Amino acid sequence: QVLLVESGGGLVQPGGSLRLSCAASGLTLNNYAISWFRQAPGKEREGVSCINYTGTGSTYYADSVKGRFTISRDNAKDMVYLQMNSLKPEDTAVYYCATARRVFCGNYRTGAMDYWGKGTLVTVSS
């Protein structure tokens, strides 16, 4: 059984930072492209960022987070992170990690993934 688990969400003031983590059981994250999505109340799910498998590590970002968010891997721990800086109220959402079990991100923003975590809530508010 494959499980993806996100952690690191919480309440943060505008301009603050959070780091989200994605861990897995039953699947080796290093072998696949891993994506982060988010969904705010009343809005459609949005593809935020993606990182190719460990072999290349190329990264991709939605325009809405480019320059503020950084996706990365810890290969030794088989973890994927999303560092979120300069957070804005509009970043408030449930954040999910997901994988389509492909090595490259491709058109990850379609959301066609095989496995999803249950999400972690990020609230940006003063």
Side-chain angles (χ1 to χ4, degrees):
Q1 182 182 7
V2 174
L3 289 175
L4 299 182
V5 180
E6 305 91 343
S7 61
L11 173 64
V12 63
Q13 292 187 341
S17 298
L18 281 175
R19 188 179 78 159
L20 306 183
S21 299
C22 178
S25 61
L27 177 142
T28 301
L29 296 180
N30 286 346
N31 294 342
Y32 302 104
I34 306 299
S35 301
W36 285 96
F37 292 81
R38 68 185 180 185
Q39 188 163 22
K43 294 189 176 181
E44 291 188 356
R45 183 178 60 203
E46 176 188 19
V48 173
S49 182
C50 185
I51 186 167
N52 280 350
Y53 85 117
T54 302
T56 73
S58 298
T59 58
Y60 305 90
Y61 299 93
D63 287 344
S64 58
V65 305
K66 202 171 293 184
R68 301 187 298 122
F69 290 12
T70 303
I71 192 171
S72 64
R73 293 182 179 272
D74 184 325
N75 296 333
K77 295 182 178 179
D78 197 35
M79 299 277 291
V80 174
Y81 304 101
L82 186 68
Q83 178 67 42
M84 306 186 297
N85 298 331
S86 302
L87 283 161
K88 305 175 181 179
E90 51 264 43
D91 294 317
T92 294
V94 177
Y95 284 72
Y96 303 89
C97 64
T99 182
R101 292 187 298 171
R102 295 191 295 264
V103 296
F104 299 115
C105 291
N107 193 10
Y108 74 97
R109 299 193 71 189
T110 65
M113 300 288 147
D114 292 334
Y115 297 107
W116 294 82
K118 292 186 176 182
T120 185
L121 176 63
V122 172
T123 304
V124 185
S125 175
S126 55

